[in-house]
Amino acid sequence: MNTSSQRQPTRLEPVIEALRDALGDRVETQVPTSRASWYRVGGPAAAWVEAGSVPDLVSVSRAIAGTGVPAMMVGEGSNLLVAEAGYEGVMVHLDRAGQFGGVSFSDGKSTDPDGSSVHGVEAGAAVRLPDLARWCAERGHATLSWMAGIPGSVGGSVRMNAGVEANTTEVRHSLRWAEIFDMESAVARRCSADELGFAYRHSEIGPHQVVTAAAFTTAPGDPEQIRAANARHLQHRQEAQETKRTGGSVFTNPAGHSAWQLIETAGGKGLRVGTAQVSDKHANFIVADRGGRADDVYDLMVAIRRMVHQNCGVVLEAETVLVGFPPLAEVDP
């Protein structure tokens, strides 16, 4: 019998079978990543897993072990851009309805392992930062109001050392510890902030590692005053930045510069490539048209980067998480 025309199984098929055996209908195939990205564009993920606990992550780790099939974590998708060609691997979304959506407060009565008194909050990686800021206000926990204007999750914020106003307020300033699960070893451990190698919009958390929870130091405060601070941060974001069909800041701020100013000075504000356009409101934001293409967003990023380099010699680096595209560092500015 001639078998040359028969369909050959891919390396993904046994992985998907193993995932379904372990996690059932929480495993889907050929899922449009546009549903996860705030741009609302992007190609399909070959496999999509809704993980609600660390044991679920262990199941994913075992399913992909030794197969060469890549896996990546997806949080709120606020800075995610997946190429139209899609992702030939397993995307793991941390489900807020499970273990990763929990929040607990301590008001100075409990202690850390070293015996020190704690006033803070512990949150699962899937908790949204604006929700955490709101819950802190309700409990009279101050210092995290800046999170009210950040469209992301606790896990993503730790991984990228999220913050506001360049590096004046960042995750590293209030983080006590983060729990990290390693997809390669299937081992979880608690790391102090000092162990995570924080820098501006950067940590040393590897691509095979998953933030599952984090603890932040807070201070006692008046709930009404904290709510007012939350409102100020949220209003600033709504007035100064794009909030629809965008992925937040596209480029990090180079040392001594603001990315938006460099882009605007170079004439990039309003620049369009296909279905993507630089925001007229904030030059470091890109807006995707309804029904647009992720590849247009990427091509616009490349065009902006070249324009800025030609204008002032500065090479912009992406803050957006790019999946399925050539790294911008490999594209001549």
mmCIF file of all heavy atoms in Angstrom, residues 146-181:
data_model
loop_
_atom_site.group_PDB
_atom_site.id
_atom_site.type_symbol
_atom_site.label_atom_id
_atom_site.label_comp_id
_atom_site.label_asym_id
_atom_site.label_seq_id
_atom_site.Cartn_x
_atom_site.Cartn_y
_atom_site.Cartn_z
ATOM 1 N N TRP A 146 -0.393 52.352 42.497
ATOM 2 C CA TRP A 146 0.114 52.486 41.129
ATOM 3 C C TRP A 146 -0.343 51.331 40.240
ATOM 4 O O TRP A 146 -0.427 51.473 39.018
ATOM 5 C CB TRP A 146 1.638 52.568 41.125
ATOM 6 C CG TRP A 146 2.331 51.365 41.671
ATOM 7 C CD1 TRP A 146 2.655 51.119 42.969
ATOM 8 C CD2 TRP A 146 2.786 50.226 40.929
ATOM 9 N NE1 TRP A 146 3.286 49.905 43.091
ATOM 10 C CE2 TRP A 146 3.384 49.335 41.856
ATOM 11 C CE3 TRP A 146 2.762 49.867 39.584
ATOM 12 C CZ2 TRP A 146 3.940 48.112 41.478
ATOM 13 C CZ3 TRP A 146 3.314 48.660 39.197
ATOM 14 C CH2 TRP A 146 3.890 47.795 40.135
ATOM 15 N N MET A 147 -0.693 50.195 40.857
ATOM 16 C CA MET A 147 -1.151 49.043 40.083
ATOM 17 C C MET A 147 -2.532 49.260 39.469
ATOM 18 O O MET A 147 -2.911 48.541 38.541
ATOM 19 C CB MET A 147 -1.177 47.797 40.971
ATOM 20 C CG MET A 147 0.181 47.296 41.410
ATOM 21 S SD MET A 147 0.037 45.757 42.371
ATOM 22 C CE MET A 147 1.764 45.343 42.604
ATOM 23 N N ALA A 148 -3.268 50.233 39.975
ATOM 24 C CA ALA A 148 -4.628 50.460 39.486
ATOM 25 C C ALA A 148 -4.649 50.814 38.001
ATOM 26 O O ALA A 148 -5.649 50.580 37.321
ATOM 27 C CB ALA A 148 -5.302 51.560 40.301
ATOM 28 N N GLY A 149 -3.557 51.356 37.494
ATOM 29 C CA GLY A 149 -3.513 51.759 36.088
ATOM 30 C C GLY A 149 -2.711 50.831 35.197
ATOM 31 O O GLY A 149 -2.439 51.165 34.042
ATOM 32 N N ILE A 150 -2.335 49.656 35.718
ATOM 33 C CA ILE A 150 -1.523 48.712 34.942
ATOM 34 C C ILE A 150 -2.402 47.568 34.448
ATOM 35 O O ILE A 150 -2.950 46.808 35.251
ATOM 36 C CB ILE A 150 -0.366 48.129 35.786
ATOM 37 C CG1 ILE A 150 0.504 49.239 36.366
ATOM 38 C CG2 ILE A 150 0.463 47.163 34.945
ATOM 39 C CD1 ILE A 150 1.295 50.002 35.349
ATOM 40 N N PRO A 151 -2.571 47.399 33.149
ATOM 41 C CA PRO A 151 -3.460 46.351 32.624
ATOM 42 C C PRO A 151 -2.753 45.006 32.500
ATOM 43 O O PRO A 151 -2.445 44.533 31.407
ATOM 44 C CB PRO A 151 -3.846 46.892 31.251
ATOM 45 C CG PRO A 151 -2.626 47.643 30.813
ATOM 46 C CD PRO A 151 -2.038 48.237 32.067
ATOM 47 N N GLY A 152 -2.476 44.383 33.633
ATOM 48 C CA GLY A 152 -1.780 43.114 33.590
ATOM 49 C C GLY A 152 -2.083 42.289 34.818
ATOM 50 O O GLY A 152 -2.916 42.658 35.648
ATOM 51 N N SER A 153 -1.388 41.174 34.958
ATOM 52 C CA SER A 153 -1.597 40.268 36.076
ATOM 53 C C SER A 153 -0.383 40.288 37.006
ATOM 54 O O SER A 153 0.686 40.780 36.644
ATOM 55 C CB SER A 153 -1.827 38.843 35.574
ATOM 56 O OG SER A 153 -0.679 38.371 34.884
ATOM 57 N N VAL A 154 -0.560 39.717 38.190
ATOM 58 C CA VAL A 154 0.522 39.658 39.159
ATOM 59 C C VAL A 154 1.722 38.904 38.583
ATOM 60 O O VAL A 154 2.865 39.363 38.674
ATOM 61 C CB VAL A 154 0.038 38.990 40.464
ATOM 62 C CG1 VAL A 154 1.212 38.602 41.349
ATOM 63 C CG2 VAL A 154 -0.899 39.924 41.215
ATOM 64 N N GLY A 155 1.470 37.746 37.963
ATOM 65 C CA GLY A 155 2.577 36.958 37.424
ATOM 66 C C GLY A 155 3.357 37.698 36.362
ATOM 67 O O GLY A 155 4.595 37.740 36.390
ATOM 68 N N GLY A 156 2.648 38.299 35.419
ATOM 69 C CA GLY A 156 3.318 39.050 34.365
ATOM 70 C C GLY A 156 4.060 40.253 34.899
ATOM 71 O O GLY A 156 5.142 40.599 34.405
ATOM 72 N N SER A 157 3.501 40.901 35.906
ATOM 73 C CA SER A 157 4.143 42.098 36.465
ATOM 74 C C SER A 157 5.463 41.755 37.143
ATOM 75 O O SER A 157 6.423 42.521 37.078
ATOM 76 C CB SER A 157 3.208 42.794 37.451
ATOM 77 O OG SER A 157 3.100 42.079 38.670
ATOM 78 N N VAL A 158 5.511 40.581 37.798
ATOM 79 C CA VAL A 158 6.761 40.156 38.426
ATOM 80 C C VAL A 158 7.790 39.799 37.353
ATOM 81 O O VAL A 158 8.953 40.197 37.421
ATOM 82 C CB VAL A 158 6.523 38.964 39.365
ATOM 83 C CG1 VAL A 158 7.847 38.408 39.887
ATOM 84 C CG2 VAL A 158 5.628 39.377 40.535
ATOM 85 N N ARG A 159 7.354 39.055 36.338
ATOM 86 C CA ARG A 159 8.283 38.631 35.281
ATOM 87 C C ARG A 159 8.942 39.828 34.607
ATOM 88 O O ARG A 159 10.145 39.809 34.318
ATOM 89 C CB ARG A 159 7.548 37.791 34.238
ATOM 90 C CG ARG A 159 8.417 37.381 33.058
ATOM 91 C CD ARG A 159 7.652 36.509 32.075
ATOM 92 N NE ARG A 159 7.386 35.199 32.638
ATOM 93 C CZ ARG A 159 8.244 34.190 32.671
ATOM 94 N NH1 ARG A 159 9.462 34.344 32.169
ATOM 95 N NH2 ARG A 159 7.906 33.031 33.173
ATOM 96 N N MET A 160 8.182 40.882 34.338
ATOM 97 C CA MET A 160 8.744 42.019 33.606
ATOM 98 C C MET A 160 9.076 43.211 34.499
ATOM 99 O O MET A 160 9.443 44.276 34.013
ATOM 100 C CB MET A 160 7.788 42.467 32.502
ATOM 101 C CG MET A 160 6.490 43.089 33.000
ATOM 102 S SD MET A 160 5.512 43.834 31.672
ATOM 103 C CE MET A 160 6.562 45.207 31.226
ATOM 104 N N ASN A 161 8.970 43.032 35.823
ATOM 105 C CA ASN A 161 9.218 44.138 36.747
ATOM 106 C C ASN A 161 8.419 45.369 36.316
ATOM 107 O O ASN A 161 8.970 46.443 36.062
ATOM 108 C CB ASN A 161 10.714 44.468 36.809
ATOM 109 C CG ASN A 161 11.036 45.489 37.897
ATOM 110 O OD1 ASN A 161 10.339 45.576 38.900
ATOM 111 N ND2 ASN A 161 12.081 46.257 37.688
ATOM 112 N N ALA A 162 7.118 45.198 36.235
ATOM 113 C CA ALA A 162 6.230 46.270 35.781
ATOM 114 C C ALA A 162 6.321 47.472 36.704
ATOM 115 O O ALA A 162 6.675 47.362 37.880
ATOM 116 C CB ALA A 162 4.784 45.755 35.727
ATOM 117 N N GLY A 163 5.988 48.619 36.149
ATOM 118 C CA GLY A 163 6.019 49.830 36.957
ATOM 119 C C GLY A 163 5.469 51.016 36.203
ATOM 120 O O GLY A 163 4.930 50.889 35.102
ATOM 121 N N VAL A 164 5.588 52.175 36.815
ATOM 122 C CA VAL A 164 5.137 53.426 36.208
ATOM 123 C C VAL A 164 6.252 54.444 36.324
ATOM 124 O O VAL A 164 7.166 54.308 37.140
ATOM 125 C CB VAL A 164 3.861 53.966 36.894
ATOM 126 C CG1 VAL A 164 2.686 53.030 36.667
ATOM 127 C CG2 VAL A 164 4.085 54.167 38.403
ATOM 128 N N GLU A 165 6.178 55.453 35.471
ATOM 129 C CA GLU A 165 7.126 56.566 35.511
ATOM 130 C C GLU A 165 8.570 56.060 35.475
ATOM 131 O O GLU A 165 9.329 56.212 36.435
ATOM 132 C CB GLU A 165 6.889 57.431 36.754
ATOM 133 C CG GLU A 165 5.499 58.049 36.778
ATOM 134 C CD GLU A 165 5.200 58.755 38.088
ATOM 135 O OE1 GLU A 165 6.082 58.766 38.962
ATOM 136 O OE2 GLU A 165 4.084 59.266 38.236
ATOM 137 N N ALA A 166 8.901 55.457 34.336
ATOM 138 C CA ALA A 166 10.233 54.867 34.141
ATOM 139 C C ALA A 166 10.492 53.873 35.254
ATOM 140 O O ALA A 166 9.755 52.913 35.402
ATOM 141 C CB ALA A 166 11.298 55.956 34.080
ATOM 142 N N ASN A 167 11.508 54.052 36.069
ATOM 143 C CA ASN A 167 11.800 53.067 37.109
ATOM 144 C C ASN A 167 11.618 53.639 38.510
ATOM 145 O O ASN A 167 12.202 53.159 39.472
ATOM 146 C CB ASN A 167 13.224 52.517 36.951
ATOM 147 C CG ASN A 167 14.275 53.603 37.070
ATOM 148 O OD1 ASN A 167 13.959 54.780 37.099
ATOM 149 N ND2 ASN A 167 15.532 53.192 37.131
ATOM 150 N N THR A 168 10.779 54.688 38.668
ATOM 151 C CA THR A 168 10.597 55.282 39.991
ATOM 152 C C THR A 168 9.701 54.429 40.871
ATOM 153 O O THR A 168 9.847 54.429 42.093
ATOM 154 C CB THR A 168 10.006 56.705 39.879
ATOM 155 O OG1 THR A 168 8.756 56.629 39.168
ATOM 156 C CG2 THR A 168 10.954 57.622 39.127
ATOM 157 N N THR A 169 8.754 53.711 40.305
ATOM 158 C CA THR A 169 7.905 52.785 41.058
ATOM 159 C C THR A 169 7.788 51.506 40.256
ATOM 160 O O THR A 169 7.244 51.492 39.157
ATOM 161 C CB THR A 169 6.497 53.366 41.294
ATOM 162 O OG1 THR A 169 6.611 54.628 41.954
ATOM 163 C CG2 THR A 169 5.683 52.421 42.172
ATOM 164 N N GLU A 170 8.328 50.419 40.808
ATOM 165 C CA GLU A 170 8.342 49.137 40.115
ATOM 166 C C GLU A 170 7.988 48.021 41.087
ATOM 167 O O GLU A 170 8.018 48.200 42.315
ATOM 168 C CB GLU A 170 9.723 48.864 39.519
ATOM 169 C CG GLU A 170 10.146 49.860 38.462
ATOM 170 C CD GLU A 170 11.567 49.604 37.974
ATOM 171 O OE1 GLU A 170 12.401 49.080 38.738
ATOM 172 O OE2 GLU A 170 11.835 49.931 36.809
ATOM 173 N N VAL A 171 7.682 46.857 40.534
ATOM 174 C CA VAL A 171 7.370 45.690 41.350
ATOM 175 C C VAL A 171 8.463 45.421 42.376
ATOM 176 O O VAL A 171 8.191 45.097 43.537
ATOM 177 C CB VAL A 171 7.162 44.456 40.454
ATOM 178 C CG1 VAL A 171 7.322 43.166 41.247
ATOM 179 C CG2 VAL A 171 5.769 44.496 39.819
ATOM 180 N N ARG A 172 9.712 45.550 41.960
ATOM 181 C CA ARG A 172 10.827 45.197 42.840
ATOM 182 C C ARG A 172 10.846 46.018 44.126
ATOM 183 O O ARG A 172 11.427 45.588 45.133
ATOM 184 C CB ARG A 172 12.158 45.363 42.105
ATOM 185 C CG ARG A 172 12.491 46.796 41.715
ATOM 186 C CD ARG A 172 13.753 46.858 40.861
ATOM 187 N NE ARG A 172 14.026 48.210 40.392
ATOM 188 C CZ ARG A 172 14.801 49.065 41.041
ATOM 189 N NH1 ARG A 172 15.378 48.724 42.174
ATOM 190 N NH2 ARG A 172 15.013 50.273 40.542
ATOM 191 N N HIS A 173 10.215 47.190 44.118
ATOM 192 C CA HIS A 173 10.237 48.044 45.299
ATOM 193 C C HIS A 173 9.346 47.523 46.425
ATOM 194 O O HIS A 173 9.535 47.911 47.585
ATOM 195 C CB HIS A 173 9.814 49.470 44.923
ATOM 196 C CG HIS A 173 10.765 50.152 44.011
ATOM 197 N ND1 HIS A 173 10.363 50.861 42.897
ATOM 198 C CD2 HIS A 173 12.117 50.222 44.019
ATOM 199 C CE1 HIS A 173 11.411 51.337 42.274
ATOM 200 N NE2 HIS A 173 12.490 50.965 42.928
ATOM 201 N N SER A 174 8.364 46.698 46.110
ATOM 202 C CA SER A 174 7.441 46.213 47.146
ATOM 203 C C SER A 174 7.355 44.690 47.216
ATOM 204 O O SER A 174 6.716 44.155 48.125
ATOM 205 C CB SER A 174 6.035 46.784 46.913
ATOM 206 O OG SER A 174 5.580 46.491 45.604
ATOM 207 N N LEU A 175 7.987 43.980 46.295
ATOM 208 C CA LEU A 175 7.904 42.518 46.285
ATOM 209 C C LEU A 175 8.718 41.914 47.433
ATOM 210 O O LEU A 175 9.890 42.244 47.617
ATOM 211 C CB LEU A 175 8.418 41.975 44.955
ATOM 212 C CG LEU A 175 8.299 40.450 44.785
ATOM 213 C CD1 LEU A 175 6.849 40.061 44.529
ATOM 214 C CD2 LEU A 175 9.182 39.970 43.639
ATOM 215 N N ARG A 176 8.094 41.012 48.207
ATOM 216 C CA ARG A 176 8.813 40.263 49.245
ATOM 217 C C ARG A 176 9.341 38.961 48.692
ATOM 218 O O ARG A 176 10.492 38.601 48.908
ATOM 219 C CB ARG A 176 7.890 39.971 50.443
ATOM 220 C CG ARG A 176 7.433 41.184 51.196
ATOM 221 C CD ARG A 176 7.060 40.917 52.640
ATOM 222 N NE ARG A 176 6.528 39.605 52.947
ATOM 223 C CZ ARG A 176 5.225 39.277 52.929
ATOM 224 N NH1 ARG A 176 4.328 40.177 52.565
ATOM 225 N NH2 ARG A 176 4.832 38.061 53.277
ATOM 226 N N TRP A 177 8.505 38.217 48.008
ATOM 227 C CA TRP A 177 8.912 36.958 47.402
ATOM 228 C C TRP A 177 7.972 36.595 46.269
ATOM 229 O O TRP A 177 6.870 37.138 46.156
ATOM 230 C CB TRP A 177 8.966 35.821 48.430
ATOM 231 C CG TRP A 177 7.742 35.624 49.290
ATOM 232 C CD1 TRP A 177 7.589 35.998 50.598
ATOM 233 C CD2 TRP A 177 6.501 35.001 48.915
ATOM 234 N NE1 TRP A 177 6.339 35.650 51.054
ATOM 235 C CE2 TRP A 177 5.657 35.024 50.047
ATOM 236 C CE3 TRP A 177 6.022 34.424 47.748
ATOM 237 C CZ2 TRP A 177 4.350 34.512 50.037
ATOM 238 C CZ3 TRP A 177 4.726 33.908 47.725
ATOM 239 C CH2 TRP A 177 3.915 33.957 48.858
ATOM 240 N N ALA A 178 8.432 35.699 45.434
ATOM 241 C CA ALA A 178 7.595 35.145 44.360
ATOM 242 C C ALA A 178 7.801 33.641 44.336
ATOM 243 O O ALA A 178 8.915 33.155 44.556
ATOM 244 C CB ALA A 178 7.969 35.743 43.010
ATOM 245 N N GLU A 179 6.720 32.914 44.096
ATOM 246 C CA GLU A 179 6.820 31.465 43.934
ATOM 247 C C GLU A 179 6.977 31.156 42.450
ATOM 248 O O GLU A 179 6.186 31.622 41.620
ATOM 249 C CB GLU A 179 5.594 30.773 44.515
ATOM 250 C CG GLU A 179 5.557 30.866 46.034
ATOM 251 C CD GLU A 179 4.403 30.101 46.647
ATOM 252 O OE1 GLU A 179 3.525 29.631 45.892
ATOM 253 O OE2 GLU A 179 4.368 29.999 47.886
ATOM 254 N N ILE A 180 8.006 30.396 42.123
ATOM 255 C CA ILE A 180 8.371 30.101 40.738
ATOM 256 C C ILE A 180 8.300 28.598 40.509
ATOM 257 O O ILE A 180 8.896 27.814 41.253
ATOM 258 C CB ILE A 180 9.806 30.586 40.426
ATOM 259 C CG1 ILE A 180 10.014 32.039 40.862
ATOM 260 C CG2 ILE A 180 10.112 30.399 38.945
ATOM 261 C CD1 ILE A 180 9.229 33.046 40.080
ATOM 262 N N PHE A 181 7.561 28.214 39.468
ATOM 263 C CA PHE A 181 7.493 26.802 39.072
ATOM 264 C C PHE A 181 8.322 26.626 37.814
ATOM 265 O O PHE A 181 8.153 27.369 36.839
ATOM 266 C CB PHE A 181 6.048 26.383 38.811
ATOM 267 C CG PHE A 181 5.897 24.954 38.354
ATOM 268 C CD1 PHE A 181 5.873 23.919 39.277
ATOM 269 C CD2 PHE A 181 5.799 24.642 37.000
ATOM 270 C CE1 PHE A 181 5.752 22.598 38.859
ATOM 271 C CE2 PHE A 181 5.671 23.331 36.575
ATOM 272 C CZ PHE A 181 5.640 22.297 37.515
#
